[in-house]
Amino acid sequence: MPKGKGSSMSEGEAAAGAYERWDLVEGMESEKREQRKARKGAVPSLLTLSPERAITLLYVLLALTFVLFMALTIVTLQRVSAMWEALEQARMRSENSHTTARHNLSEAQDTLDEQLSVELKVMRGRLQNVSQEVERVWWKVAECQRECGKELADRLRVLEERDVLEPVLQQLAEARQEQSRVAALLDKALQETHNLSEIFCTRCPSGWQQFDRTCYFFSSTTKPWLAAKEFCTNFSAHLAIVDSQQENKFLANHVMENQKFWLGLTDRYREGDWQWTDGRSLSLPFWNNGEPNNVGSHGEDCATIYSNGRWNDVPCFQAEPWICERSC
């Protein structure tokens, strides 16, 4: 094949390939333009809908929106209801636990009070036995002092009457020293016996009740608060002062049903400032519900105790029974 002819065919084939690629690119560009036109024409096609169809389509969209809103609302309400039920159950469990705790605490306190009451009775019996024994010892010591003192005095008198020499005088001096020493020991023993009697005090005046080394008098007549206070003072006592729950319970147990007794508690000097007769401020109250309320034109400035252990404020001029308190 000649050289010039082969070169001419190669150029023709290259040109034909270039035309084919150009046609392919042109076809792809044409398809893209058609697609863009189709998308742009979609919106105008909605605008070309009839008013009835557009309103219908709008109603459908609104209905779908409403259904979706209601579904979300129902789900939210269900969650809120579930959370509310859980909170209510937690509150009920908390109240039940608090009620159970208060009930258990009340039962434990009652049991402890009963145990303390039994133990106090046992201790009181033991203290009475100790007091009786101490009293017997005291009388024995006093009797010994009288007898020993009499015996030593007799010996000294006999020795003094004799006209003896120096050894006898020395014995006399030693006897006197022994007498002094025995007398001092007896005085010390008597003092210690007296101190023990005060420590183990188990005796109160006739008509008085004892509790925790203290004597209490529960009157059978009535007086105004100031007159009752003066009555206690005449017996080296004072109107009852409550220092513990056990003491308040003891006083309540001796108060007759449907009666109230004066306590040594008043706010007659300054309203609302409740103080005991010894000047101490009230720190452990046992007021009844709604008390003190200071009702009436004359006010209520003096405290009383009921048989249930609760207190009430009443006018000081009323005549009520009273409770005196003193050390035994």
Side-chain angles (χ1 to χ4, degrees), residues 57-70:
L57 180 60
L58 181 60
Y59 281 157
V60 170
L61 292 175
L62 288 174
L64 291 174
T65 303
F66 179 75
V67 170
L68 180 60
F69 175 75
M70 290 300 296

Side-chain angles (χ1 to χ4, degrees), residues 17-51:
Y19 282 117
E20 291 177 356
R21 288 193 297 274
W22 184 83
D23 289 338
L24 179 61
V25 171
E26 185 66 23
M28 293 175 65
E29 291 293 332
S30 177
E31 290 179 359
K32 292 180 179 179
R33 286 195 295 271
E34 292 295 331
Q35 291 176 358
R36 284 195 294 272
K37 289 180 179 180
R39 286 195 297 269
K40 291 180 179 179
V43 175
S45 64
L46 293 175
L47 299 176
T48 59
L49 294 175
S50 64

Side-chain angles (χ1 to χ4, degrees), residues 202-261:
T202 57
R203 291 188 177 181
C204 290
S206 178
W208 293 62
Q209 303 294 327
Q210 181 189 341
F211 174 77
D212 193 19
R213 291 185 296 177
T214 305
C215 300
Y216 298 88
F217 173 77
F218 296 84
S219 73
S220 57
T221 59
T222 60
K223 290 179 182 292
W225 189 84
L226 285 175
K229 179 174 178 290
E230 183 178 359
F231 176 92
C232 295
T233 302
N234 292 335
F235 285 87
S236 300
H238 54 79
L239 286 173
I241 297 174
V242 179
D243 294 318
S244 67
Q245 184 176 1
Q246 289 75 21
E247 183 179 11
N248 191 71
K249 188 173 182 180
F250 166 80
L251 297 178
N253 289 337
H254 288 78
V255 174
M256 283 72 76
E257 193 74 23
N258 299 324
Q259 279 194 341
K260 52 184 179 290
F261 279 62

Side-chain angles (χ1 to χ4, degrees), residues 12-240:
E13 292 176 353
Y19 282 117
E20 291 177 356
R21 288 193 297 274
W22 184 83
D23 289 338
L24 179 61
V25 171
E26 185 66 23
M28 293 175 65
E29 291 293 332
S30 177
E31 290 179 359
K32 292 180 179 179
R33 286 195 295 271
E34 292 295 331
Q35 291 176 358
R36 284 195 294 272
K37 289 180 179 180
R39 286 195 297 269
K40 291 180 179 179
V43 175
S45 64
L46 293 175
L47 299 176
T48 59
L49 294 175
S50 64
E52 292 79 4
R53 295 186 64 184
I55 292 173
T56 302
L57 180 60
L58 181 60
Y59 281 157
V60 170
L61 292 175
L62 288 174
L64 291 174
T65 303
F66 179 75
V67 170
L68 180 60
F69 175 75
M70 290 300 296
L72 291 175
T73 302
I74 292 172
V75 171
T76 303
L77 288 176
Q78 289 177 347
R79 292 181 178 178
V80 171
S81 178
M83 292 176 63
W84 183 260
E85 289 180 358
L87 289 174
E88 187 67 19
Q89 292 176 0
R91 186 183 66 82
M92 292 296 294
R93 287 195 297 269
S94 177
E95 290 182 355
N96 292 334
S97 63
H98 289 168
T99 302
T100 303
R102 287 195 295 269
H103 180 69
N104 293 338
L105 181 59
S106 178
E107 289 184 349
Q109 186 174 359
D110 292 340
T111 303
L112 182 59
D113 288 342
E114 292 178 359
Q115 293 177 353
L116 286 175
S117 179
V118 173
E119 292 178 359
L120 285 173
K121 290 181 180 178
V122 174
M123 291 179 63
R124 184 179 299 173
R126 293 177 178 175
L127 287 175
Q128 288 178 349
N129 294 334
V130 171
S131 177
Q132 294 173 359
E133 185 65 25
V134 168
E135 188 173 359
R136 284 196 297 269
V137 171
W138 188 86
W139 284 108
K140 288 182 180 179
V141 171
E143 185 178 359
C144 178
Q145 184 182 23
R146 289 193 299 270
E147 293 179 354
C148 294
K150 183 178 179 182
E151 182 180 355
L152 289 173
D154 292 340
R155 290 178 61 186
L156 289 174
R157 190 166 51 253
V158 170
L159 291 175
E160 287 175 350
E161 289 175 354
R162 295 179 180 176
D163 188 10
V164 294
L165 299 177
E166 186 65 24
V168 177
L169 295 176
Q170 185 176 358
Q171 292 179 3
L172 178 61
E174 292 176 355
R176 286 177 176 173
Q177 292 178 358
E178 183 68 18
Q179 182 186 19
S180 300
R181 188 179 67 84
V182 171
L185 290 175
L186 289 175
D187 290 339
K188 184 178 179 181
L190 288 173
Q191 183 63 37
E192 292 178 353
T193 303
H194 179 69
N195 294 337
L196 285 174
S197 298
E198 292 182 351
I199 293 174
F200 298 109
C201 176
T202 57
R203 291 188 177 181
C204 290
S206 178
W208 293 62
Q209 303 294 327
Q210 181 189 341
F211 174 77
D212 193 19
R213 291 185 296 177
T214 305
C215 300
Y216 298 88
F217 173 77
F218 296 84
S219 73
S220 57
T221 59
T222 60
K223 290 179 182 292
W225 189 84
L226 285 175
K229 179 174 178 290
E230 183 178 359
F231 176 92
C232 295
T233 302
N234 292 335
F235 285 87
S236 300
H238 54 79
L239 286 173

